[in-house]
């Protein structure tokens, strides 16, 4: 889906919707239609080369709505967890789609408001689950620890800004990131704050959203709003190193946008990341030493399998790169300007969703389109979630679909 731009001032924040090249009109919240690139039409004579079965569909609240966040389900032990910005939180049997439990913050209870016309928990960051702990952040600056078995509350913590990316659970800590550039470490059992990292400089203008955190080997990795790949100590939040993904150069504020809004990948000891108006880079995880880099502008996450990296650039062209040096393997522009999600690898296929609710399967070998299904008529913003032979997709209105590949046609 097309990115949104966030602009910060001393007293206020202005949200501007960005289309294609992020055309922003000074002092105005509108856009000219002639500046918008139309999405590439889908081929009417398309013949799939693999069968796809829709296993089930369900819904969680109103989804992300107009918040601009990319809500994605989480999976653990055969259960799929999902949330919405209107205060719904639910668990589904991942195989059948049956609702196991569902909670709403519009009712009286532990969220504290007691006003049925208002949703206190505007869920936007997460969910994330580990063992029997479910963690989710909100647009109104809360982190909730929840019992994953039944949805009952465990603890609540307050932060200074929105939480629009998934927290990470690592041992006895929960790490969460907020829109103002801070990272927080909380005790996973009690929610007590253990540390806070607040040394990031958040640019005046950046994209709406944050990439998910990655915790591994006692380190937390993330891409910053300033286009940096940053490594922090997990136990105390101390910065270990940072590397530049995008330099933020250009004549205008839009040109200088340098936001790393995607996830950081780790394979072996090598990290992979990319940024808007920046580069795709490989970095040695322990030292932060760059291994290779190449130009590639994206505002979504990457995915990896075998010897290839997969990404969607800022014009919604799907690319495959050699993970060992970054050279091109293939590019598919059949879905250009359809504002695709981040790619997800499912076996021999790359799966993406688009702005009109379609889900597309591309062959990992050459990028050829292999299958197409439609979840709904609403945009899909979040990266599909692959578990085994099934992919789960969620649109902006909270509809969730589970798909499974069949044999070749």
């Amino acid at each position: 889906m097309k990115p949104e731009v966030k602009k910060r001032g001393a007293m206020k924040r202005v949200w501007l919707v960005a289309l294609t090249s992020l055309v922003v009109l000074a002092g105005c919240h509108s856009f000219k239609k002639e500046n918008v690139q139309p999405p590439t039409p889908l081929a009417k004579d398309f013949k799939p080369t693999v069968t796809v079965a829709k296993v089930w569909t369900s819904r969680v609240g109103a989804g992300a709505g107009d918040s601009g966040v990319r809500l994605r389900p989480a999976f653990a032990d055969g259960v799929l967890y999902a949330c919405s910005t209107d205060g719904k939180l639910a668990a589904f049997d991942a195989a059948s789609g049956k609702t196991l439990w569902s909670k709403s913050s519009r009712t009286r209870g532990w969220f504290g408001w007691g006003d049925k016309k208002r949703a206190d928990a505007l869920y936007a960051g997460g969910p994330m689950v580990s063992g029997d702990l479910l963690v989710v952040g909100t647009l109104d600056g809360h982190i909730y620890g929840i019992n994953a078995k039944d949805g009952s509350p465990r603890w609540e913590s307050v932060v200074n800004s929105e939480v629009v990316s998934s927290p990470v659970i690592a041992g006895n800590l929960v790490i969460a990131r907020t829109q103002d550039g801070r990272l927080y470490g909380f005790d996973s059992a009690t929610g007590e704050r253990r540390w806070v990292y607040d040394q990031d400089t958040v640019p005046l203008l950046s994209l709406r959203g944050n990439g998910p955190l990655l915790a591994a080997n006692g380190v937390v990795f993330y891409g910053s709003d300033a286009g940096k790949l940053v490594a922090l100590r997990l136990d105390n939040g101390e910065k270990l190193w940072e590397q530049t993904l995008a330099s933020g150069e250009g004549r205008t504020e839009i040109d200088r946008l340098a936001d790393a809004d995607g996830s950081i990948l780790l394979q072996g000891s090598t990290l992979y990341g990319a940024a808007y108006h920046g580069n795709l880079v490989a970095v040695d995880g322990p030292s932060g030493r760059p291994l290779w880099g190449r130009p590639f502008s994206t505002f979504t996450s990457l995915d990896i399998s075998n010897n290839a990296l997969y990404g969607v650039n800022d014009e919604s062209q799907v690319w495959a790169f050699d993970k060992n040096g970054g050279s091109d393997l293939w590019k598919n522009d059949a879905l250009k300007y359809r504002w695709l999600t981040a790619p997800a690898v499912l076996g021999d296929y790359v799966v993406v969703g688009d702005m009109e609710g379609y889900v597309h399967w591309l062959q990992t070998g050459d990028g050829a389109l292999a299958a197409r299904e439609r979840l709904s008529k609403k945009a899909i913003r979040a990266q599909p979630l692959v578990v085994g032979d099934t992919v789960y997709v969620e649109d902006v209105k909270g509809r969730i679909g589970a798909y499974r590949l069949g044999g070749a046609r």
Side-chain angles (χ1 to χ4, degrees):
M1 183 66 180
K2 53 187 175 294
E4 288 186 353
V5 175
K6 60 190 180 190
K7 189 172 185 178
R8 291 178 173 84
M11 300 297 293
K12 65 181 180 179
R13 180 183 298 162
V14 181
W15 301 101
L16 302 175
V17 177
L19 298 173
T20 65
S21 61
L22 301 172
V23 177
V24 178
L25 305 182
C28 181
H29 289 250
S30 64
F31 62 88
K32 295 182 179 180
K33 291 184 178 180
E34 58 265 28
N35 289 328
V36 179
Q37 294 285 355
T40 301
L42 298 179
K44 295 181 179 180
D45 59 350
F46 171 69
K47 294 181 180 179
T49 58
V50 66
T51 59
V52 173
K54 183 183 287 186
V55 182
W56 57 262
T57 61
S58 191
R59 182 181 293 277
V60 55
D66 297 326
S67 66
V69 300
R70 294 174 286 204
L71 287 177
R72 184 191 193 206
F75 174 90
D77 300 323
V79 180
L80 200 71
Y81 301 88
C83 61
S84 66
T85 55
D86 63 338
K88 301 295 191 302
L89 185 65
F92 305 92
D93 182 277
S96 67
K98 177 183 177 181
T99 301
L100 302 177
W101 56 257
S102 180
K103 302 291 183 178
S104 174
S105 66
R106 289 183 182 274
T107 59
R108 294 181 181 275
W110 70 288
F111 294 112
W113 287 96
D115 180 359
K116 293 185 178 181
K117 295 181 179 179
R118 176 177 183 178
D120 177 29
L122 307 173
Y123 299 125
M128 177 56 67
V129 62
S130 178
D132 63 354
L133 177 63
L134 176 67
V135 180
V136 62
T138 73
L139 291 175
D140 57 359
H142 290 78
I143 308 291
Y144 293 115
I146 297 164
N147 188 326
K149 303 301 181 183
D150 59 12
S152 59
R154 287 191 173 177
W155 51 260
E156 170 187 349
S157 294
V158 179
V159 292
N160 292 337
S161 183
E162 297 174 310
V163 181
V164 298
S165 65
S166 182
V168 65
I169 304 171
N172 61 355
L173 286 175
V174 171
I175 314 300
R177 179 182 180 183
T178 54
Q179 276 287 88
D180 60 2
R182 292 182 172 92
L183 272 72
Y184 297 83
F186 301 98
D187 186 289
S188 61
T190 66
E192 180 182 356
R193 183 184 299 180
R194 296 301 187 191
W195 56 261
V196 59
Y197 172 79
D198 61 356
Q199 299 176 34
D200 261 355
T201 300
V202 179
L204 178 67
L205 197 67
S206 60
L207 301 181
R208 169 68 161 161
N210 295 139
L213 304 172
L214 170 66
N217 304 318
V219 182
V220 178
F221 304 97
Y222 71 98
S224 77
D225 289 331
K228 308 288 186 180
L229 170 54
V230 184
L232 308 179
R233 281 184 51 166
L234 178 63
D235 58 352
N236 62 12
E238 177 187 348
K239 182 189 284 188
L240 298 174
W241 53 259
E242 68 175 38
Q243 280 293 338
T244 299
L245 299 177
S247 61
E249 298 177 350
R251 297 176 59 186
T252 69
E253 281 189 285
I254 298 299
D255 292 335
R256 290 191 293 272
L257 276 172
D259 207 332
D261 261 4
S263 59
I264 304 301
L265 301 180
L266 175 65
Q267 189 174 71
S269 62
T270 303
L271 296 163
Y272 301 91
Y276 186 67
H277 286 167
N279 298 295
L280 169 63
V281 300
V283 175
D284 178 68
S287 66
R289 177 176 58 88
L291 302 176
W292 58 260
R294 56 152 301 150
F296 186 68
S297 176
T298 183
F299 47 82
T300 67
S301 297
L302 307 168
D303 206 356
I304 190 170
S305 74
N306 299 323
N307 292 317
L309 285 164
Y310 304 93
V312 173
N313 70 7
D314 53 15
E315 294 184 334
S316 281
Q317 296 164 306
V318 186
W319 289 71
F321 306 99
D322 181 350
K323 74 171 188 178
N324 295 314
S327 60
D328 301 353
L329 298 178
W330 53 257
K331 179 181 73 170
N332 184 307
D333 58 6
L335 305 174
K336 192 174 182 180
Y337 300 126
R338 296 193 66 83
W339 306 118
L340 304 178
T341 67
V345 178
L346 174 58
D348 295 328
Y349 300 90
V350 177
V351 187
V352 293
D354 75 14
M355 63 182 293
E356 295 179 335
Y358 287 97
V359 187
H360 307 270
W361 284 255
L362 293 77
Q363 295 179 13
T364 55
D366 58 8
L369 290 170
R372 179 171 76 210
E373 293 288 330
R374 195 170 197 179
L375 173 64
S376 69
K377 294 184 179 180
K378 303 300 180 180
I380 302 169
R381 290 179 59 94
Q383 183 180 28
L385 173 67
V386 172
V387 180
D389 62 354
T390 305
V391 60
Y392 301 94
V393 184
E394 180 176 349
D395 72 14
V396 297
K397 293 299 182 182
R399 180 172 293 279
I400 302 171
Y403 298 90
R404 187 172 296 136
L405 283 176
R409 291 191 173 184

